[in-house]
Amino acid sequence: MTDHAGVAEHLPPFLAAIDLPQSSSASDILSANELAYTGALFVTVTPEKIDGVLSLLKDTIGRSDVYLDVSTSSSTQDIVDLLDGGAAKVFVASGQVPALQEVPNLDSRRIVYHPTVSADEAEDQLSGTGFGLYLHNVQDVEAVGSILKAMGKTRPAVYVSKQGMAEAEAVKLRTLDAVPIVGSHQLTVAPEPTKNAIRVASLLLAKTKSDRADGLFTTLVTDERGIALGLVYSNEESVAESLRSGRGVYWSRKRGLWRKGDTSGDWQELVRIETDCDDDCLRFVVRQQGSGFCHLLTATCFGEYRGLSKLQKTLQSRKRSAPEGSYTARLFDDSKMLNAKIMEEASELCEASSKDEIAAEAADVLYFALTKATAAGVTLEDIERNLDGKSVKVKRRKGDAKGPFAEKFGVATNGTSSHTNGVSTTNGAPTKDEVREAESQPKSKADSAGLNGDGRIQMRRYVTKDEAPETIREALKRPSQRSTDKIMAIVRPIINDVREQGDKALLSYTHKFEKATSLTSPVLKAPFPESLMQLPPETIEAIDISFENIRKFHAAQREEKPLEVETMPGVVCSRFVRPIERVGLYVPGGTAVLPSTALMLGVPAMVAGCKTIVLASPPRADGRLTPEIVYVAHKVGAESIVLAGGAQAVAAMAHGTESVSKVDKILGPGNQFVTAAKMLVSNDTTAQVSIDMPAGPSEVLVIADKTALPAFVASDLLSQAEHGVDSQVVCIAVDLSEQQVRAIEDELHAQATALPRVDMVRGAISHSVMLVTRTLDEALELSNAYAPEHLILQVADSIAVRERIMNAGSVFCGPWTPESVGDYSAGVNHSLPTYGYAKQYSGVNLGSYVKHITSSHLTAEGLKNVGGAVMQWAKVEELEAHRRAVEIRLKWMEENKGRSLDG
């Protein structure tokens, strides 16, 4: 920790305490004028809110500071993550301080101490630390003044809350140089005082003083980059009106209230209002609209923009009006050409040596980088907000150059890998987007994934007769196949950590990734408490119906008696079944909890007679599992549930830990990290574990002819697309007209926009395709080559067509068989091969939980009949001991005629 004791700082006029609903985004919160333009936000953090708070921090960087009360958090790592995510300061309890003081690079000014002792004792504890002080729920604001006076001029920043704080009390605290914490519901931008409300303008201007005879405040107007647009004046009335209207409103010495731009159209959208360090000047941060701020129609009252700001304006103008075919238009339209120019200029910058050369080449790099940003709708303000976010990072990356560049410039990386935010990165590290997709995180609202040029959710369409075969093969490539090596590089160190450190590593990953920081054990052992299985009767009924159907279908797969064949007189060969003794069943969580998978994996294990059944599923942030999973685990007789997900859960079951039983086989689907972990442990001889199949992100292929209803086709495609952004859906339209294909696309867009997981769907649609073929034969050929996890036949005479299917995990025939019945209740298993492995693997079935043992039994006559052939084979392969094992027995028979041996 870096100490800054006694260092002055610029504080917000108030903190607005908000309750963070799960559905609210930063845009929703900051759309309220009371919160948008001044002050900062204050959020009390609980374990279940951590993900929402991290999202809020990401979205408010550069827009509003966020202060967090983390005094109830049990995890230092969570607190560091929140600071790393952009929290301005965290309010902590005394018990949290020692661990935070050990965190390197942590600025002590970002810690606010919430004492449970007297003010005098708190002052002693704060001395020399640089921490701020939080006076929580004070009884008397006047008494705060005495406390602050006693602390002297070099006292730390002080934040004060009080139940039912009145405007006068909040203003009083501001005049005492303390920051009031007030409920956001109390704040108002109304110009006149109202009962129980606190005016934002009053708090903002509580300490502001004017050195002018007319009492006006000198006001500097800047853009978001801090470039001065002009100098004006303000007073309480104009500030209040500006806050109310969200516009730049000032005070004219001649005309009074001045809504700048009302007549010219050159108005300003308000971003922030701030005071300077001496509280005698205001700064309005605005987004200028129209021609510019100055009445001379220039960008600023000091002339036109210069440097990067001028370049940005020029590029934005050229993007709108560049003649078709011009060099500028090509830069905006041809991403490959633009990328090539960026790499070219970056290379020339690396080779530059003199001051002039470096300045010139750096300017070229900035030009083309800003062109790429402008083409994508990214502004300098966006880039600077990103830089601001990086500036508050606590955790520092090692900064090693990536493989190809390190090699090119002779930089030694020692082959080491580093861990950044819980993700291992190596020379072949995945990009952030690849990691997000592998985790199946939904696309942001701003991401255009899955949208066509008209903003519609639409798959790419190919008419196969117009495309080369290699184009179709590339279009059908699974998204996850593009980054397999990089995903493996993330997963390996996680597996190694769990193998070497056991429960400690497993709990650490669960605390980090699932935010379940209250967990002290990574396992829930049977018998499971009734309190963890409380479910509505209708849910229990649905589970019980599905349980019985799955049980019936898998029980029918039993081999009732051993196979026995006499291959020649006296030679009997047999094969019999035994259950795999210990099985580990992975039940996905994350973006969607899938208790149905617990049924699909657990019921066959029970039917097969596996002695030890271990489930693994990621817990919620409060450390608990969904009650459906616990209820299913109880019904199938599971020994335990591992409270972890991802590669760490797979590693724990494969190798075993102090608390987790080692298993002999791991079954179940998951995202790319889970699939990679399963493949790695199955190839590790020290683990001695097998897997069912590489079952990764979900996929479906629908073959639809003219008999198919567009609404049915679209619903089947979307039922898999909503699983995750790394899912892929394919529709093969057989001899459909443009109008018929468009009908399916229209249905898909309409249904998708009505789904709660639409942002997940868009991610999947972005790498999904519609293929239009002339014949059913061509469609079947493409389907068999793709080998889908789920194949839906919405065609005439679907049962007859099914006979021509060679490769698929599970087939759904006819208009009344949506894939979702197979997911839940029909009886077939929904744990199926993906990635095209349906060419080699079956889906999970009873055979997945058993092993076949063969047996041979020969009589003396049998050995005489087959012995000659065996000895000849041994002679051919020069394995003398093999030959003698038969010869000795035949010789004994010859020498002991009339005697027999039991067996």
Side-chain angles (χ1 to χ4, degrees):
M1 178 178 286
T2 307
D3 289 333
H4 291 276
V7 178
E9 57 182 300
H10 197 61
L11 299 172
F14 61 88
L15 302 186
I18 62 169
D19 185 19
L20 190 64
Q22 292 184 350
S23 59
S24 288
S25 65
S27 297
D28 295 333
I29 293 167
L30 295 179
S31 64
N33 287 19
E34 293 82 1
L35 306 179
Y37 306 126
T38 191
L41 302 179
F42 182 77
V43 182
T44 299
V45 179
T46 55
E48 64 273 11
K49 286 185 180 179
I50 286 179
D51 288 341
V53 173
L54 286 169
S55 178
L56 175 70
L57 291 171
K58 180 181 177 182
D59 293 342
T60 52
I61 287 289
R63 299 173 65 189
S64 178
D65 286 339
V66 181
Y67 292 64
L68 303 176
D69 184 347
V70 296
S71 57
T72 61
S73 175
S74 60
S75 168
T76 301
Q77 185 61 56
D78 279 350
I79 298 173
V80 172
D81 285 345
L82 291 166
L83 286 165
D84 213 46
K89 298 189 180 189
V90 290
F91 291 46
V92 303
S94 57
Q96 297 165 310
V97 169
L100 288 171
Q101 287 178 315
E102 299 301 316
V103 176
N105 305 314
L106 176 54
D107 185 343
S108 62
R109 289 174 297 183
R110 297 179 71 188
I111 305 297
V112 180
Y113 179 49
H114 180 183
T116 55
V117 295
S118 69
D120 290 340
E121 291 173 298
E123 184 180 354
D124 292 339
Q125 293 175 355
L126 285 170
S127 180
T129 64
F131 296 168
L133 173 63
Y134 178 27
L135 300 178
H136 178 60
N137 280 347
V138 299
Q139 299 298 313
D140 182 6
V141 167
E142 292 295 334
V144 173
S146 302
I147 296 173
L148 300 184
K149 185 176 181 181
M151 296 178 75
K153 291 184 179 181
T154 58
R155 62 174 173 77
V158 177
Y159 304 83
V160 181
S161 67
K162 178 181 184 295
Q163 289 285 349
M165 187 181 295
E167 180 177 301
E169 292 174 315
V171 169
K172 175 68 175 177
L173 288 169
R174 286 282 290 120
T175 62
L176 293 171
D177 279 339
V179 179
I181 302 176
V182 298
S184 59
H185 63 281
Q186 290 182 267
L187 295 170
T188 180
V189 291
E192 300 300 326
T194 55
K195 187 177 180 181
N196 299 327
I198 300 175
R199 288 172 294 171
V200 173
S202 297
L203 292 179
L204 174 63
L205 301 175
K207 291 179 59 185
T208 310
K209 54 188 178 295
S210 173
D211 55 6
R212 293 174 52 86
D214 56 13
L216 296 177
F217 305 125
T218 303
T219 301
L220 179 68
V221 184
T222 76
D223 65 12
E224 289 179 275
R225 300 192 60 234
I227 295 174
L229 302 180
L231 195 67
V232 294
Y233 295 99
S234 302
N235 63 11
E236 292 184 19
E237 182 181 347
S238 67
V239 168
E241 177 59 20
S242 198
L243 291 169
R244 187 197 66 78
S245 63
R247 289 181 49 175
V249 181
Y250 314 107
W251 193 265
S252 168
R253 288 166 293 174
K254 294 180 180 179
R255 299 186 301 274
L257 195 66
W258 177 27
R259 294 181 176 85
K260 184 165 173 53
D262 266 1
T263 55
S264 66
D266 300 332
W267 62 283
Q268 296 98 46
E269 178 186 350
L270 185 61
V271 177
R272 299 285 291 172
I273 305 179
E274 301 165 341
T275 60
D276 75 340
C277 58
D278 293 324
D279 292 307
D280 58 5
C281 177
L282 299 180
R283 180 170 82 128
F284 275 55
V285 182
V286 301
R287 295 189 190 99
Q288 180 65 47
Q289 310 296 317
S291 301
F293 185 85
C294 185
H295 69 285
L296 297 177
L297 303 183
T298 55
T300 83
C301 288
F302 310 102
E304 294 291 357
Y305 275 131
R306 300 174 59 197
L308 289 176
S309 291
K310 182 177 182 179
L311 175 60
Q312 174 169 264
K313 292 290 185 185
T314 302
L315 289 171
Q316 288 170 341
S317 174
R318 289 179 180 175
K319 182 183 177 183
R320 291 190 298 267
S321 59
E324 187 175 352
S326 66
Y327 176 68
T328 303
R330 287 177 61 206
L331 282 178
F332 284 122
D333 296 337
D334 188 344
S335 60
K336 291 182 179 178
M337 176 182 170
L338 180 55
N339 290 342
K341 287 299 298 180
I342 292 171
M343 296 300 289
E344 173 191 330
E345 300 300 342
S347 176
E348 291 177 2
L349 175 60
C350 293
E351 294 168 3
S353 55
S354 72
K355 184 176 179 180
D356 287 345
E357 287 174 344
I358 292 171
E361 298 303 339
D364 287 342
V365 170
L366 289 171
Y367 176 87
F368 289 107
L370 194 52
T371 301
K372 185 178 180 75
T374 303
V378 175
T379 66
L380 284 168
E381 291 79 6
D382 296 326
I383 295 168
E384 290 180 344
R385 273 193 291 271
N386 195 283
L387 289 171
D388 288 342
K390 288 179 169 63
S391 72
V392 298
K393 294 284 186 185
V394 176
K395 293 174 282 188
R396 301 286 190 242
R397 291 190 291 184
K398 290 177 66 176
D400 289 343
K402 291 184 178 178
F405 302 103
E407 184 177 344
K408 180 177 179 179
F409 291 96
V411 177
T413 61
N414 301 320
T416 57
S417 65
S418 63
H419 291 269
T420 305
N421 294 336
V423 176
S424 171
T425 59
T426 63
N427 289 343
T431 65
K432 291 180 180 178
D433 283 344
E434 286 172 328
V435 172
R436 280 182 61 85
E437 186 158 295
E439 292 174 337
S440 202
Q441 297 182 30
K443 297 295 182 181
S444 68
K445 302 289 185 187
D447 194 321
S448 61
L451 303 178
N452 67 7
D454 298 326
R456 286 166 50 87
I457 298 174
Q458 186 171 314
M459 300 186 294
R460 290 168 293 142
R461 191 203 299 183
Y462 297 87
V463 178
T464 57
K465 69 180 179 63
D466 298 334
E467 303 288 350
E470 54 269 24
T471 301
I472 301 302
R473 283 196 295 271
E474 182 63 26
L476 288 172
K477 205 170 186 181
R478 272 90 168 170
S480 50
Q481 291 176 338
R482 298 176 185 133
S483 55
T484 302
D485 291 342
K486 295 178 180 180
I487 299 301
M488 291 288 191
I490 293 174
V491 166
R492 281 192 186 93
I494 295 175
I495 293 174
N496 291 340
D497 283 350
V498 175
R499 181 182 61 202
E500 294 166 8
Q501 300 184 51
D503 283 354
K504 179 182 177 182
L506 185 58
L507 267 176
S508 174
Y509 283 119
T510 301
H511 290 169
K512 184 169 191 63
F513 295 137
E514 317 308 335
K515 307 302 179 187
T517 54
S518 61
L519 279 182
T520 56
S521 170
V523 174
L524 181 64
K525 296 279 189 181
F528 308 115
E530 286 285 340
S531 60
L532 299 182
M533 296 184 279
Q534 297 299 309
L535 292 166
E538 57 270 25
T539 301
I540 291 175
E541 181 184 11
I543 292 174
D544 291 348
I545 289 172
S546 300
F547 177 95
E548 185 57 22
N549 287 351
I550 297 165
R551 188 200 64 76
K552 284 180 185 176
F553 184 66
H554 289 80
Q557 300 170 31
R558 283 197 190 105
E559 298 174 33
E560 297 299 337
K561 61 180 181 178
L563 171 70
E564 195 168 279
V565 178
E566 188 173 36
T567 57
M568 63 191 310
V571 179
V572 176
C573 296
S574 60
R575 188 185 75 167
F576 53 93
V577 176
R578 294 291 183 269
I580 296 172
E581 293 186 76
R582 303 172 299 181
V583 292
L585 314 179
Y586 186 85
V587 180
T591 62
V593 181
L594 303 176
S596 59
T597 299
L599 272 177
M600 293 292 177
L601 300 174
V603 173
M606 178 193 72
V607 171
C610 300
K611 289 183 180 178
T612 301
I613 300 173
V614 177
L615 268 66
S617 190
R620 299 177 299 204
D622 63 2
R624 297 163 73 93
L625 287 167
T626 57
E628 292 88 349
I629 289 177
V630 183
Y631 179 64
V632 171
H634 164 71
K635 281 185 74 75
V636 302
E639 174 228 64
S640 59
I641 306 174
V642 181
L643 303 173
Q648 56 272 24
V650 173
M653 293 190 291
H655 293 283
T657 71
E658 302 92 319
S659 302
V660 180
S661 298
K662 186 202 174 328
V663 301
D664 303 312
K665 186 172 186 176
I666 297 173
L667 305 94
N671 62 22
Q672 295 179 54
F673 295 117
V674 172
T675 300
K678 286 170 64 179
M679 296 177 76
L680 285 171
V681 298
S682 69
N683 288 319
D684 181 355
T685 56
T686 65
Q688 290 192 324
V689 69
S690 68
I691 63 173
D692 50 352
M693 70 193 97
S698 192
E699 59 195 39
V700 68
L701 188 150
V702 180
I703 300 178
D705 66 11
K706 293 179 179 179
T707 67
L709 290 179
F712 288 11
V713 175
S715 68
D716 286 337
L717 294 168
L718 293 171
S719 69
Q720 291 307 298
E722 74 173 348
H723 269 295
V725 297
D726 53 359
S727 297
Q728 186 177 44
V729 301
V730 178
C731 180
I732 303 183
V734 180
D735 195 28
L736 298 191
S737 67
E738 169 64 25
Q739 183 179 3
Q740 290 166 325
V741 172
R742 185 70 176 181
I744 295 173
E745 292 173 339
D746 289 346
E747 276 289 343
L748 185 136
H749 173 72
Q751 293 184 33
T753 54
L755 292 173
R757 291 166 68 85
V758 62
D759 293 328
M760 199 73 74
V761 167
R762 289 194 299 107
I765 294 298
S766 68
H767 35 242
S768 297
V769 292
M770 165 87 74
L771 304 180
V772 183
T773 67
R774 286 175 290 186
T775 66
L776 179 61
D777 288 345
E778 184 185 1
L780 293 174
E781 183 181 349
L782 288 168
S783 177
N784 281 325
Y786 182 77
E789 177 192 18
H790 305 97
L791 172 61
I792 298 178
L793 299 176
Q794 292 206 36
V795 296
D797 202 359
S798 58
I799 298 300
V801 173
R802 185 185 65 187
E803 297 307 306
R804 301 171 62 185
I805 301 303
M806 298 300 296
N807 303 316
S810 191
V811 184
F812 302 84
C813 303
W816 309 116
T817 318
E819 184 278 328
S820 45
V821 300
D823 267 354
Y824 298 122
S825 302
V828 297
N829 207 290
H830 78 203
S831 191
L832 303 166
T834 62
Y835 291 152
Y837 282 110
K839 293 177 181 177
Q840 302 96 358
Y841 288 87
S842 305
V844 166
N845 56 77
L846 193 68
S848 306
Y849 296 85
V850 301
K851 54 189 181 287
H852 290 90
I853 303 172
T854 58
S855 171
S856 306
H857 183 216
L858 275 64
T859 64
E861 177 190 10
L863 185 58
K864 288 178 183 178
N865 290 334
V866 78
V870 174
M871 288 191 292
Q872 183 58 32
W873 272 114
K875 183 178 179 181
V876 168
E877 295 186 350
E878 298 182 354
L879 296 172
E880 180 60 17
H882 281 61
R883 189 191 67 79
R884 285 174 59 80
V886 175
E887 181 186 57
I888 287 171
R889 285 171 170 79
L890 294 176
K891 184 176 180 180
W892 189 93
M893 289 182 206
E894 186 66 28
E895 293 173 352
N896 294 276
K897 289 181 179 179
R899 292 183 61 186
S900 66
L901 297 175
D902 292 335

